[in-house]
Amino acid sequence: MQAAARRPRTNHLDLAQRILDVARQRGFEAGAHLPEQQIASLCNVSRTPVRAALRLLTEKGVVRWEAESGYRLAVDLTSQATLATDLPVTEEDELAEMILRDRSARRLDQTVTIGALMRRYDAERKTVLKALKKLTDENLLDRAPGQSWLFRRAPDDPEAQGESYEFRLLLEPAAILAPGFRLDGARAAALRQGMEALLALPDAAFDIREFQRLDIDFHGLIADGAANRFVTDALSDHLRLRRLPGTYAGVNVFRLKQSLREHLTILDQLESRQYEVAADLLRVHLRLSRSQRPQAASRGAPALFGMISRPA
């Protein structure tokens, strides 16, 4: 009973991670004030769960409490690549990750049932149901007839990856070029800082998990900037599939660093509202990423990116 009591509630853990994501996206620096009402508004929740999430982050040393001013950010989020892994994990979160890993390794069929998952993982029915709900909420699973769930097809084989990139080539540049595109400047600045910090690391210290986070955040920035909510929803749903284990396997560090440089060049154009140039560069970037091969001749950036300078 005591062990169970020490486990944080899932919604508080999720909200704690959302607070970190919002703080990172908006470029909050160490020492930044975290007013409960502002955080509640940014995360679209009430103040009560925000307090619980902030207390959880305080216990982990990520946030500090000051009697005079309240909660303040205690760390530099751009340099905390593995920060999320320091948060406690609920049973259903652990189970959801195991299910994803086993599906990625083809140890699970496309269709799963509650009973089969209970037996495989020696888990209680309520834990399995919560894990399945979490994966369903993230659009990684669909409810099937009866007690079955169906995995959505992920871009984890050559054919699916090709289709994924064709889908993104159709929608992402169009999201930039459609009237009303809007770039979140604070989020872009924080993203730039994180990408530059990762690029500065030697190859041996390159963190692929941090690259995955930054890559998804960069393309999410474009999706969220679209003026068309249906385009945003379609791209956001697809991005969730790319967080599955193994999505970035087999790509060498040289290509990943090259990809970060391409992101930064595209970001330069977006910040200067050179949307047509940004869309063209994004098409090239997606095609290069589809091939997953470094452009050895240019050693550092593809020729087109090398020709584009940062706008004054």
Side-chain angles (χ1 to χ4, degrees):
M1 293 293 292
Q2 289 180 343
R6 286 196 298 270
R7 265 190 197 275
R9 291 171 56 180
T10 304
N11 62 325
H12 294 162
L13 278 170
D14 290 344
L15 182 54
Q17 188 57 58
R18 284 172 61 194
I19 290 172
L20 296 184
D21 291 341
V22 167
R24 183 185 289 111
Q25 291 167 2
R26 292 183 172 267
F28 287 5
E29 299 179 348
H33 189 209
L34 301 174
E36 292 177 11
Q37 187 56 59
Q38 180 189 15
I39 297 299
S41 298
L42 290 172
C43 296
N44 197 28
V45 295
S46 67
R47 292 178 64 176
T48 300
V50 166
R51 289 193 198 101
L54 288 171
R55 283 196 297 269
L56 176 59
L57 291 171
T58 302
E59 292 171 6
K60 292 298 169 183
V62 180
V63 168
R64 69 174 184 268
W65 163 260
E66 296 179 353
E68 317 81 53
S69 57
Y71 291 100
R72 290 188 178 275
L73 193 61
V75 298
D76 178 6
L77 294 179
T78 61
S79 65
Q80 299 290 315
T82 59
L83 189 60
T85 63
D86 293 334
L87 293 176
V89 179
T90 63
E91 289 180 275
E92 54 265 31
D93 286 339
E94 289 177 339
L95 180 56
E97 289 301 317
M98 285 192 286
I99 290 171
L100 289 181
R101 284 197 299 269
D102 284 349
R103 173 55 188 163
S104 180
R106 297 293 192 271
R107 291 189 288 265
L108 287 175
D109 294 332
Q110 188 173 11
T111 302
V112 292
T113 64
I114 295 174
L117 293 175
M118 289 172 62
R119 291 189 296 273
R120 179 180 180 86
Y121 300 105
D122 191 23
E124 295 182 2
R125 182 182 181 86
K126 65 178 182 180
T127 304
V128 171
L129 283 169
K130 287 180 180 179
L132 291 173
K133 182 180 185 304
K134 176 182 175 66
L135 295 174
T136 302
D137 289 345
E138 294 179 359
N139 290 318
L140 299 173
L141 279 178
D142 288 321
R143 184 70 184 267
Q147 298 295 306
S148 299
W149 273 259
L150 183 70
F151 283 100
R152 289 195 170 191
R153 190 176 182 190
D156 57 356
D157 63 67
E159 182 183 357
Q161 286 174 0
E163 292 176 358
S164 169
Y165 279 109
E166 288 301 327
F167 171 82
R168 295 169 65 197
L169 278 163
L170 286 170
L171 279 191
E172 283 195 48
I176 294 174
L177 293 176
F181 178 83
R182 193 172 185 178
L183 184 72
D184 185 330
R187 183 175 170 187
L191 190 55
R192 176 184 294 280
Q193 189 175 0
M195 290 191 292
E196 289 175 344
L198 185 57
L199 265 174
L201 295 175
D203 289 1
F206 193 86
D207 188 337
I208 293 180
R209 290 181 61 187
E210 176 67 353
F211 172 84
Q212 181 177 20
R213 182 188 72 77
L214 291 168
D215 184 49
I216 291 173
D217 280 357
F218 171 77
H219 291 283
L221 179 71
I222 292 172
D224 292 340
N228 187 307
R229 72 188 72 178
F230 298 104
V231 171
T232 296
D233 289 347
L235 287 172
S236 297
D237 284 349
H238 189 72
L239 277 172
R240 292 188 185 96
L241 295 176
R242 301 185 66 230
R243 82 169 186 84
L244 289 170
T247 304
Y248 294 77
V251 184
N252 63 36
V253 171
F254 178 77
R255 173 55 202 155
L256 296 181
K257 283 193 168 185
Q258 190 180 68
S259 183
L260 287 173
R261 294 186 185 97
E262 293 162 16
H263 286 171
L264 289 168
T265 304
I266 295 167
L267 200 54
D268 290 341
Q269 303 303 320
L270 290 174
E271 289 173 333
S272 300
R273 300 191 178 185
Q274 300 296 316
Y275 295 142
E276 290 190 7
V277 178
D280 286 342
L281 290 172
L282 180 57
R283 290 188 190 95
V284 176
H285 165 69
L286 290 172
R287 291 186 180 115
L288 290 170
S289 296
R290 178 174 55 187
S291 72
Q292 296 189 349
R293 290 191 298 271
Q295 304 300 301
S298 58
R299 301 304 296 176
L304 178 59
F305 284 85
M307 295 168 59
I308 302 295
S309 59
R310 185 172 183 174

